[in-house]
Structure formats: C-alpha cells, structure tokens
Amino acid sequence: MTAAVKIDVARLDAWFGRVHAVKGVSIQVPERGVLAVIGPSGCGKSTFLRCLNRMHELVPGARAAGRVLLDGDDVYGGSVDPVLLRRRVGMVFQRPNPFPAMSIRDNVIAGLKLNGLPRDTDEVLERCLTQAALWDEVKDRLGGSPLALSGGQQQRLCIARALAVEPEVLLMDEPASALDPIATARIEELIHELKERYTIVLVTHNMQQAARTSDLTAFFYLGELVECGPTEQIFTNPKESRTEDYVTGKFG
Amino acid sequence: MSPAPLDASLGKEQAAAPSPAIRLRALNLGDRTYASALVSFGGLLLAVAGVIVVSLAHLAQPTLSATGPVHFVLGTDWNPVSGSFGALPFIYGTLVTSAVAIVLAVPVGVGLAVFLAEMSPRALRRPVSFAVETLAGIPSVVYGLWGLFVLVPILRDPVEPFLAKYLGFLPLFRGPPIGLGFLAAGVVLAIMILPTIASVSLEVLKTVPAPLKEGALALGATRWEAVRIASLPFAKAGIFGAVLLGLGRALGETMAVTMVIGNSPSIHASLFAVGYSLPSVIANEFAEATTKLHTGALAGLGLVLLGLAVALNGLARLLVGRTQRKLA
Amino acid sequence: MRRFRLRKLVNVTMTVVCGLAVVVALVPLVSLLWLVIKKGVAGLSPEFFTQLPTPMGVPGGGVGNAIVGTLMIVAIACAIGLPVGIGAGVYLAEKGDGRLGRTVRFTSEVLAGVPSIVIGIVAWGLVVLPMKRFSALAGGVALSLIMIPTVARASEELIRLVPRSLREGALALGVPEWKTSLRVVLRTALGGIATAVLLSVARVMGETAPLLFTSLNNQYWNLAPDQPTASLTVEIYDYAISPFRDWHQKAWTAALVLLLLVGLLNLGARVLSRNRLGGAS
C-alpha cells in the first residue's frame, strides 16, 4: 500500500472525567483506505472514532491529548475550528438519526443549508442519494417524512446527508448494529462503493463485517490498541494472542 | 481533490509537534454570541424575580416605615382615610379560609389520588384525570360566580343552620347563617385547590415502586393495607408537598374569595362570620387608592403574601422532589 | 378468621371511601359546568359577541369590546412573555447545568407560585405609576410576568426530550452549535412548545386579579394599548358583584364565552400534542 497517509494518529489519549477511555493509541490510515476498529464493548473504539472529528469533546467532562493529523495538519491545533473540521470528516451514527422535523429532501441537504453553502441542491440531492443507494426508493417521496422510512433506509439517508457536505473522511460508528441482516448487507455493499472516493473508519462489533469490508483492522482492548494490521493478517495470522482469542471467539 | 488546509496559519513545525493535553473547548464567534444570548435570557428571568421583590418593597416602604412593620402585621385597625394600617384581620382571614380549604380538600384530594393510583379500574383513570384537569383550568372568577350564586344560598340554608344545630356547641359554628363569609370562601378554595392536591399526589403515588406494593400484597395484605403500609409511607413527604402547593395556591387566590367572603375587616371565631383576606383587600382597594400611604399599605400586604407563598412553594418543591429522587 | 373478615371489611370500606372522594370532587365540576351552560345560554345572542355593554336597565348589548380587549391584553402578554420564557427555557436546557442554571430553575419554580394579585401590584408599579394611566399594556405586562416562569419550565422539559443523537447528527455535519440548537433541536421541539404555549395562554386568559388595577375596564371599544381596556374576566366580576339581575345574567353569559375560549385553547393544545405523538410513531 503506497497511498498517502490520510489520518495519522499518534499517542492519542482520551478521558471521560477520570475514566481513561483511550490509552496512547497510534494508527495511520491511508487515503481511500478502510480501517475497521473492532473490540469488545467498552473498549474505547467509539471514543477513538469520536476523537477523529472532535465529537468527543462535546460530552461534558471529556478530554483528549495526543496528536491527530489530517493531511498533515493537527486537528487539535489551537487555531482549528472543530466546526470546519467536521465538514471534512463526516460521521454516521449507530442509530439512524434523521431530523424528524424535516423532509427527506431537507435532510439530505441539511448540512448545506444549515452551513449556508450555495450548491445546486437538486444535483446534490440526486448524487448523494444515488451514492447512498437510496435514490430509487425515495425519489418519488422526497417531500415526505424520513420517519416513514425503514431503519435501513433511514441509515442510508443519514449516509447521504453526511456525503452532501463533501467530506474526505467518513467515520461510521457501528452503522449496521441497529439494522436487520438484509439492510446490513446493503450498508456493507455501500461501504465497498464509497471507498473509491472516501477514507473510511468503521467501528464494528461484528468481526465478519470487519473482515468483509476493510483493508486494515485495529483491535482495541480496554482502551489500548492491541494490534493493527492488514485485515487478512489480523483474522488469519494475528501476532498477539489476545487478538487471536478475540477473533476466534474465545472472549468478548 | 486537494483539500484546503484546516488553517493556513498553522505552520508545519507547529503541526508536527505533539500537542500537550488540551482542554477541548473551542467555540467560534457564533457559538459564543449564542451562549451569551442564552445566558442573558436566564439572567432576565432572575431579573424578573428581582424586579418583583424590589418594586414591591419600594412601593411598600413609605407605609412600612410610617406604621412600623410590627404594627403593620399585628395591628387590627385598617383605615385608609385616617392613615392607620393594621393587616391582622386580613392575615387572619387568609389563614382561616386556607385552613378550611385544606381540611376539606386534603381528604378528598388524597382519597381521589389513592383511588386512581391503587384501586380504580384502569378505564376510569383517564376520564377522572381529564375531569380534574378541567377543574384546574376553570378561571377563578367563574368559581367566584358559581360560589356567589350557587354555593352561598346553599350554605345559608340548609348547611349553616344544620351545622349550628348539631355542632353549635363549637364556637366555629355559631352566629346568624348569612352564607357569605369564611366558610363559603373556604369551600370555594377547597374546590379550587383540589386539582393541585389530587394531581401532585397522584404523580407522587405513581412513583411508588411496584415491588414495594407487591411485597406487601405477597404477605397477604389487602389492597388497603398495602396502601397503608407501603404506598403512603413512601409517598408521605411528596403528598405533604402537594398539600403545601395547594395551600400556596389558596393563600394567593383572589377573585373567588373576594366574591364570597363578605369583605369586612373583622376577626371572628365563627366560620359563619364575614371577613376579609389579603388578596381581597388588595383587589378591592388598589384601583381606588389615591395616597402613597394607601398604595404602600396594599403593596405591604402583597409583600406579606409573597413571603408566605415563596416559603410554602420552596418547601413544597423540596418535599416533592425528595420523593421523586428516592427512586434514583 | 374473625380478624380476617374484619380486615376485608376495612379494605372494602376504605375503597368505598376513596371512591366517594372521586364523586365528591366531581359534584362541583358538574354543577359549575351545568349552571354556566344553562344560565349562560339564556343570554346568548349574536349581539352579545359584537356589541358594547349597555347601561344598567337598558336591554341588549354585549361584551364585544371585552372579548377584543382580552385578546389584545393576551397578545401583549405573549409578545413580551414568550420570547423571554422560551429563551430562558432554551438557556436552561442547553446551558443550565451549572450553578447559575440551577438558580434560574429554582427561581422560575418559585415565581410560578407567586400569587397573581401580587404580580398585579408589580405591573401597576412598573407601568401604571410612571404612565399615570391604567392601560392594556400594564395588564399585558402583568400577564406576561405570569407566563414567563411556566413557559420557561415547559420549554426546558420539551427541549430536553429531543434526543441527543439529533444534536450530534447536526454537529457531525459541521453545523455550528448555535445553528444546531436553533434549527435542529428547537425546531424539533417546536410542536411541544406550541402546546405548552397554548395551555399557558389559556391560563392567563382566565386571570382577573392582576387586571383589576392595571388594564381596569372600559365601556367602549379600544385598540390603543395605552388606554384602559375592558376584559372578559373583569367584566364578569363587575357584573357579578353588581346588585342588578340583568347584569347577573350577563355575568353568566360572559362566563360561558370565557369558558368556551379557554376550552377551545385547551382543545387546540390537545389536538396539537396528539398529532405530534401520532406523527412520531
């Protein structure tokens, strides 16, 4: 893999009050790569993800230290506006969270409208919904409520919403954990297509999902990065015995 | 796609240096403006409270310093023309009518809450709750109207003669049955504070954990015994808070009392007698008060009323909150 | 065995006693509603809604000016009270976890318990005294002071009901916090806040005491906010305590009109909240 490093995390620590949730993690993600972060619940993988677009600091009492470089710029640099950062690093959450007071169309272009970015909204709407593999299902009811959609459709709507602000990186926090198997399969297909354009960091507790979708896999345990390497190696020939125990289902 | 750097001023060396532990709270200008706007709204609410206290005190000051606070509260003479202001008859009337209201409304309100929470068929809960809400939503002047033209005649005959005949050995039930007076005001107040007592008690009773009640029932207790040994002790403080909230409402209620209490500044032991209350005298005299001393005296009554209401409400909130926190 | 029968007897007795409490509570409600409707309908006519009050002894006339006056005073109260109340509610929900927030929350609870007649004195001191004249503005100020604490608390609760995930969804799009708060969180809570506002308007519409010496009364049409203004509640009071039979009749009919207005607002609030709940599921 010779692609440029998109995200470079060095000795990242994160706390909630006194709880040390992420301990000295260093990881590099190449441009247009997919990093899967796996580990038992409570191992700090979601917190790690939320440090990458500075969502972590929104929780009262949360703190982070260390370095996160995006294209070589420190996202925790003193003059960085987290708001601008988040337009470059989009996020999809565990549970679909469309804005209930807005129509499907307004949900997709919400980021553009709320940020006052002038765009050809119809073009963006069709492009993002197509990229999120939702266009055909909703093109006849763009004015309808997003709450009328199924869970899987809502999640793809949230992905379209994240794509509309043209991020470079997409963070996905267990995007399929609240969905049924068929909807999950569609999200995974989507990840495959999206990695042509975006750098993706995917948190999942589903090891098959990590194996199917990612280039790199990182295994977290109790806030520490145990091992990170090419996905195939992590699942077939891990260096650490704790990784092997986890991927073979001995604990977690 | 070649992305713009996050911040042009960020030099390479600076970016490469590992950042020290950063306290993460960077707000941009819009967020800072919004935060200060919100805080000023919060401050505005505090200012409203401050303005209420300060302006009442300012209005009352001339009279309180001329009369002296002790004579103002304990004096029994109220004569705006001669400029003597003693508030005791009004304080007495307020306390007596509120006491009557509490005595009548507490058993009914708490009984209703217990029935709905513990005994009634489920189907009954919604309509009765709706009726109680309706009762709470009726404007007080309409209660006054009803009290004046419906309740007072009923009290005059047959209720007061009946009470005088059988309970007349008590000083409370002596004297001519006029209808208007402390009793009428107390009954109207009881009806008006009933929804407060009933709905807050109901809320509190709903927080009684089911295992507590089931534990009692499992020991072979009857429904009522479960209420008596499990629910009521648990909800005691909260129900007391509900009663205080009701009392707070009764103390400050103006129109319905003004219309049925008789409006005469006198102190009588009998509930059949006419009297006066703090809010009623303010309602009746304020629009016509011409001297600074007179408006000051009425504002002073307002201050007394404010003090009573704030003390009661603070205490009540504390008690209701404590029961609801027991769960956590 | 005898003891068990006694316990069962006590149980049945107490159940009956508590059930009776429900009946006792409903008697005044039924009596009041029935009489207001029965006596009120007797005086109802189209003119009652559109005409000015007539002097004592002159038949006909209505409370048209009082209906308009009530609406005007309540509108003034909303214009002052809603921005402050909702603003304070947003503050409590978004930034109210610190010590200042707790103080504001406690103050709003205490304010909600201040007797309305006391608020009337304050509004008199703030508006009538410097303007040297009773006015709709003074009445509106009084009612707004009553609205502020209740609207603030209700808004806070409804904003706090908006799931955290929506806020995070917007922030993750790179939307600043203030826009997230106003255009996503507040917008989502708006339906609920509208319900709370309607209920609060219904409550202050029935207030009499704080209007007695602020907006006073007026025998004529008035749309000037700096003039004494008639209101339905004060009109009912004045008619009720008068010694004249035909004025008593007008008091009942005006009470019916007031109850209809208040009931309509409550009904609106109910429909609004039901639609919202139905739409969300």
Side-chain angles (χ1 to χ4, degrees), chain B residues 150-236:
Chain B
V150 180
L151 183 68
V152 165
I154 293 176
L155 288 181
R156 189 184 304 133
D157 183 38
V159 175
E160 288 183 354
F162 176 86
L163 287 173
K165 191 169 167 195
Y166 293 101
L167 296 170
F169 57 90
L170 294 170
L172 286 179
F173 303 110
R174 284 186 196 151
I178 310 166
L180 294 172
F182 292 122
L183 186 63
V187 172
V188 175
L189 280 180
I191 298 168
M192 297 182 68
I193 65 173
L194 183 72
T196 308
I197 295 178
S199 58
V200 179
S201 299
L202 187 58
E203 285 307 308
V204 172
L205 282 169
K206 274 184 190 162
T207 65
V208 177
L212 203 65
K213 287 183 270 181
E214 284 159 5
L217 291 173
L219 290 174
T222 61
R223 273 264 153 219
W224 165 247
E225 284 165 341
V227 169
R228 191 167 53 83
I229 64 180
S231 303
L232 286 182
F234 183 91
K236 198 169 54 187

Side-chain angles (χ1 to χ4, degrees), chain A residues 53 91 176 233:
Chain A
N53 67 343
M91 189 166 195
Q233 180 223 317

Side-chain angles (χ1 to χ4, degrees), chain C residues 29-51:
Chain C
L29 177 67
V30 173
S31 159
L32 189 146
L33 290 181
W34 167 243
L35 284 165
V36 170
I37 294 170
K38 194 182 98 174
K39 296 196 175 201
V41 166
L44 218 51
S45 64
E47 295 80 53
F48 195 79
F49 291 88
T50 56
Q51 291 193 353

Side-chain angles (χ1 to χ4, degrees), chain A residues 96 149-156 178-180 183:
Chain A
L149 300 176
S150 73
Q153 288 172 324
Q154 286 186 16
Q155 191 63 303
R156 277 178 279 143
L179 305 180
D180 63 74

Side-chain angles (χ1 to χ4, degrees), chain A residues 50 83 86 97 101 114-115, chain C residues 165-166 168 171-172 174 179 187:
Chain A
R50 293 164 63 94
V83 168
R86 292 182 198 126
N97 55 354
L114 293 175
N115 287 323
Chain C
S165 63
L166 289 187
E168 294 200 329
L171 291 172
K179 266 190 190 166
R187 179 165 166 193

Side-chain angles (χ1 to χ4, degrees), chain A residues 50 53 55 58-60 83-84 86-87 89-91 93 95 97-102 106-107 110-111 113-116 147 161-162 165, chain C residues 97 162-180 182-190 276 279-281:
Chain A
R50 293 164 63 94
N53 67 343
M55 291 292 284
L58 296 171
V59 180
V83 168
L84 296 176
R86 292 182 198 126
R87 289 186 202 162
V89 184
M91 189 166 195
F93 296 83
R95 295 188 166 276
N97 55 354
F99 303 132
M102 300 182 192
D106 287 346
N107 259 279
K113 252 173 68 177
L114 293 175
N115 287 323
L147 299 176
R161 183 176 72 186
V165 286
Chain C
D97 289 328
V162 175
R164 210 187 144 68
S165 63
L166 289 187
R167 176 191 307 277
E168 294 200 329
L171 291 172
L173 293 174
V175 180
E177 278 188 47
W178 68 275
K179 266 190 190 166
T180 303
L182 283 179
R183 295 189 51 189
V184 174
V185 178
L186 198 57
R187 179 165 166 193
T188 307
L190 215 56
R276 191 163 48 87
S281 59

